[in-house]
Amino acid sequence: MDGYTFMMFACGSSFLLLYSFVTRPEIRSVFIKVAIPTHVISFAVAYTLYTTFIGKSGFSAESIDMFRGWGVDLSFIVIPTKGLLWLPDLLGLGQRRNEQIYFGDSSVWVTTFSLPILLLGMWAWWRAKRHFKIATGILLIAILSFYMALGPSLKINSIKPEYLNLQVMPAEFAIAPTFNSWISENIPGFNTMRASYRWSALGIFALWLLVIIGLARIDDKNRRIGVVGLTALVLLNLPDFKASWKQSTAERDMFQQIDQVLVTTLRQHIQPGEMVSFIPWGNDFFANYLAPKTGFRTYNVGGDKNLQAAVGAWPPAMRQAGAPLDTTKTMSAIKMLVDGSTDVLVIPYFDMLISSASWPYTDNTKTQQSDSLNRVSNTFQLSEKRAEFKTIIDVLRTLPYIEVSDSPYFASIRLRHQLSGEENKAALLSSITENISYPILMGTNSKSNSPHVLLWDGWHDMEEHHVWSQTSAKLLLPIPQNCESMTCHAVLNFTVFGASQERPVEVIFKKQDHGLPWSTNMTVSSGDLKKIQVPLSGVKGALTLSISVPDATSPHLLNGAPDPRVLGINLQRIELLN
């Protein structure tokens, strides 16, 4: 089960157990001795196993506007969606819906039409309630489920304003509150069930139980009514076979096209077992299919909770390469190739989420998702995506240590063959730094993109005029050719976060390369600009400098500021002293 069905199972069975305990005093001792302990222990063990597996007790709560946007509209329950069901469409009962008109997405209105089962279930309850006390308990579960499915606000054919391009729903567009927002905001488990309409699945299941109970107890006098009702229920829920066949055929063709074109092309650019990073990353559902199908490994993953769990284990450069992608983020991502945390960077010309449901067949092809699902049309133009990333790819082509391979569907970026591997690391570092000249200005306003490749592990995102280190960091320092035969120094200009007379902060600098050992410690007791000279002699091409601030802290911990980042040194400029 996923989280939604687990919560529904837990809530439904717990409520039914409570109802039976209250209404059947003659067997309460059995409930107390057997049923309740078994019930509580079973769900407690399930929850413990789940939290142990994912490594935390739950996920962060969602915005209440999202619960509202994905709450079921009462009109969706009563009026079917056009293009979905055969008989309602034949009778002209369906209503056309899409994301330009309604809040949420198509799943809200294509899954919640339930008037036939609601009517038949109510009839079955009326027939069975005298003989089966449990029938009323099941009906209450259905009522409570549909109540939770409404979300925080009541909607009756609530139309989205033309100017509002949102799926979430602000409170001012609702008719009235349903007063269940406190549950969705504060109770664990409930606060992550952001797609409120899915509670209707439990309601429909409860109604179906009533139908089964009612039909099982029907007498000869009412048998015709039961048969007619069940037949109508089946007919009203039959899909449009022609549209369904067409849609299924199109999806099969789509998968064949993906395998024949995209997977084949990926295999030409990526070797089995290689680590691949798709940038910019997002909710990359396509990675879930392409990685095992092609045989590579990847950081990318589809599913918002999967993504939330994965990001924390990613290299810093990968985390920084989210959308929108620019040259700065791409240059930072190159470090993953250099340090070996990834073998290939891939910039896809297709959307890694949407294209998994509607693949672009050829360049400049417009692919529309099936009208039977009433989804918004999606236009995929590979040439437009390629044009969007052209500037980035052109910059990468100028780097002497990078090899860019282009295809109709993506660009792949890897180190040149002669520079890959641990044994070629010195040559690689020399190739990276040979075009970087001093002084080196740190900041997003720098005219050169080169500073980003000098920042290795342990740095926060670069800001306008500086970059902050974390508790420990590594910095790559270029060595000019004339410094290979004479003593030169790189002069670091920096400040230290939180340093004062009352709070002196120690900073440790140490060379990590082979050659003459060098390290120094300094204690900083003010926020003034500091300078330190790092000897560049003894190695060729570049050296790696480690920077450690053992007592680094965050603005939040130090003075209550909202910034939670742990900050070490504030590096602003690197100069060369001959």
Side-chain angles (χ1 to χ4, degrees):
M1 293 184 296
D2 65 5
Y4 284 95
T5 49
F6 180 84
M7 282 295 296
M8 292 176 198
F9 180 30
C11 292
S13 58
S14 298
F15 182 86
L16 206 57
L17 186 63
L18 176 62
Y19 177 85
S20 298
F21 181 81
V22 171
T23 59
R24 301 189 66 185
E26 70 276 9
I27 56 172
R28 282 179 187 169
S29 60
V30 177
F31 279 113
I32 293 173
K33 295 177 181 178
V34 180
I36 293 177
T38 302
H39 180 84
V40 172
I41 292 172
S42 297
F43 279 104
V45 170
Y47 177 75
T48 301
L49 291 174
Y50 173 73
T51 55
T52 303
F53 177 74
I54 66 171
K56 55 185 178 180
S57 60
F59 294 91
S60 57
E62 299 289 347
S63 163
I64 199 66
D65 285 350
M66 187 162 194
F67 284 85
R68 187 178 292 108
W70 269 260
V72 66
D73 191 303
L74 289 181
S75 66
F76 301 165
I77 295 176
V78 177
I79 304 174
T81 297
K82 185 176 179 61
L84 185 66
L85 301 173
W86 166 68
L87 187 57
D89 282 355
L90 185 65
L91 300 175
L93 302 177
Q95 180 176 334
R96 187 168 296 279
R97 301 182 175 110
N98 59 52
E99 293 175 15
Q100 295 174 335
I101 301 175
Y102 295 98
F103 293 98
D105 62 19
S106 60
S107 61
V108 183
W109 49 83
V110 304
T111 61
T112 50
F113 172 62
S114 48
L115 181 62
I117 188 71
L118 181 61
L119 296 176
L120 191 59
M122 291 297 296
W123 173 82
W125 167 78
W126 181 259
R127 298 291 309 168
K129 64 183 178 67
R130 295 180 181 178
H131 305 285
F132 290 92
K133 291 182 179 180
I134 199 71
T136 300
I138 296 173
L139 177 65
L140 290 174
I141 292 175
I143 293 172
L144 292 173
S145 299
F146 278 104
Y147 171 66
M148 290 301 300
L150 295 175
S153 299
L154 178 65
K155 295 190 292 184
I156 304 177
N157 200 34
S158 297
I159 304 298
K160 184 191 304 185
E162 292 184 3
Y163 64 85
L164 193 66
N165 186 25
L166 292 174
Q167 289 183 306
V168 297
M169 182 180 184
E172 58 266 27
F173 298 109
I175 295 175
T178 57
F179 304 106
N180 65 21
S181 59
W182 185 89
I183 299 175
S184 298
E185 287 181 307
N186 297 286
I187 299 182
F190 288 86
N191 61 5
T192 57
M193 297 184 67
R194 59 186 184 181
S196 305
Y197 77 92
R198 293 184 181 178
W199 280 104
S200 63
L202 179 59
I204 293 170
F205 177 71
L207 292 170
W208 178 246
L209 284 180
L210 290 175
V211 171
I212 297 301
I213 292 172
L215 292 178
R217 292 291 299 179
I218 199 169
D219 53 27
D220 293 337
K221 180 180 178 181
N222 294 287
R223 188 175 302 279
R224 182 175 298 177
I225 296 176
V227 171
V228 171
L230 190 60
T231 302
L233 180 64
V234 172
L235 291 175
L236 288 169
N237 282 279
L238 287 176
D240 184 328
F241 291 110
K242 182 178 179 180
S244 179
W245 178 267
K246 183 178 179 181
Q247 173 69 10
S248 298
T249 303
E251 289 174 348
R252 177 179 177 274
D253 292 342
M254 180 188 75
F255 267 104
Q256 289 183 327
Q257 186 75 7
I258 290 172
D259 288 345
Q260 294 169 3
V261 177
L262 181 58
V263 172
T264 300
T265 307
L266 280 167
R267 286 174 175 163
Q268 294 171 356
H269 291 77
I270 299 171
Q271 298 300 314
E274 285 190 314
M275 177 61 78
V276 179
S277 297
F278 291 89
I279 58 172
W281 58 265
N283 191 355
D284 299 326
F285 262 99
F286 226 152
N288 296 5
Y289 179 76
L290 296 177
K293 189 70 178 181
T294 307
F296 59 78
R297 296 173 298 136
T298 182
Y299 296 110
N300 303 76
V301 67
D304 50 1
K305 291 182 175 64
N306 293 336
L307 180 61
Q308 183 180 344
V311 168
W314 286 355
M318 180 67 181
R319 289 197 295 268
Q320 295 166 4
L325 189 66
D326 55 24
T327 306
T328 298
K329 292 180 179 179
T330 307
M331 294 300 296
S332 180
I334 291 296
K335 290 182 290 185
M336 292 192 291
L337 298 175
V338 178
D339 65 22
S341 58
T342 197
D343 298 306
V344 189
L345 293 176
V346 173
I347 300 178
Y349 298 145
F350 53 89
D351 190 296
M352 290 283 286
L353 173 61
I354 300 175
S355 293
S356 63
S358 187
W359 169 247
Y361 279 62
T362 57
D363 196 12
N364 289 322
T365 296
K366 295 183 178 181
T367 305
Q368 181 172 326
Q369 294 179 336
S370 171
D371 284 339
S372 66
L373 296 180
N374 292 283
R375 296 174 178 171
V376 180
S377 300
N378 294 287
T379 301
F380 299 96
Q381 295 186 338
L382 299 177
S383 59
E384 290 183 2
K385 277 287 187 180
R386 188 182 294 109
E388 178 184 340
F389 296 124
K390 183 179 185 303
T391 301
I392 295 173
I393 293 173
D394 287 345
V395 170
L396 293 176
R397 291 185 189 278
T398 64
L399 300 178
Y401 53 94
I402 290 298
E403 181 180 277
V404 180
S405 297
D406 206 6
S407 80
Y409 306 102
F410 58 86
S412 62
I413 302 102
R414 61 171 71 238
L415 295 178
R416 293 191 181 278
H417 177 70
Q418 61 270 28
L419 297 176
S420 61
E422 186 66 25
E423 66 278 5
N424 297 319
K425 187 173 183 179
L428 171 60
L429 296 182
S430 178
S431 179
I432 291 174
T433 59
E434 64 183 5
N435 294 321
I436 300 178
S437 58
Y438 291 91
I440 302 170
L441 301 178
M442 293 295 170
T444 55
N445 66 337
S446 175
K447 294 181 180 179
S448 172
N449 295 304
S450 301
H452 297 85
V453 300
L454 303 181
L455 302 174
W456 285 42
D457 294 340
W459 297 93
H460 293 290
D461 291 344
M462 194 171 284
E463 300 179 43
E464 187 175 2
H465 299 292
H466 61 266
V467 61
W468 284 102
S469 76
Q470 300 174 22
T471 303
S472 59
K474 293 180 182 179
L475 178 67
L476 197 65
L477 294 175
I479 300 179
Q481 277 191 330
N482 61 336
C483 292
E484 295 177 4
S485 57
M486 58 184 291
T487 301
C488 299
H489 291 82
V491 182
L492 276 60
N493 295 256
F494 64 95
T495 62
V496 179
F497 176 75
S500 65
Q501 292 289 342
E502 296 76 21
R503 187 181 179 275
V505 179
E506 182 184 28
V507 186
I508 305 170
F509 298 90
K510 185 177 181 179
K511 286 169 55 176
Q512 291 190 326
D513 299 279
H514 298 294
L516 297 176
W518 177 89
S519 65
T520 186
N521 295 20
M522 64 185 302
T523 301
V524 180
S525 57
S526 72
D528 298 338
L529 187 68
K530 304 296 179 182
K531 294 188 178 185
I532 190 168
Q533 298 181 12
V534 182
L536 296 180
S537 57
V539 292
K540 293 183 178 181
L543 66 81
T544 303
L545 180 71
S546 69
I547 305 168
S548 177
V549 187
D551 296 326
T553 187
S554 68
H556 179 71
L557 293 176
L558 186 64
N559 52 34
D563 189 351
R565 298 177 302 166
V566 174
L567 305 179
I569 72 167
N570 180 325
L571 184 59
Q572 302 174 12
R573 180 184 177 96
I574 307 175
E575 301 167 341
L576 181 67
L577 180 63
N578 293 321

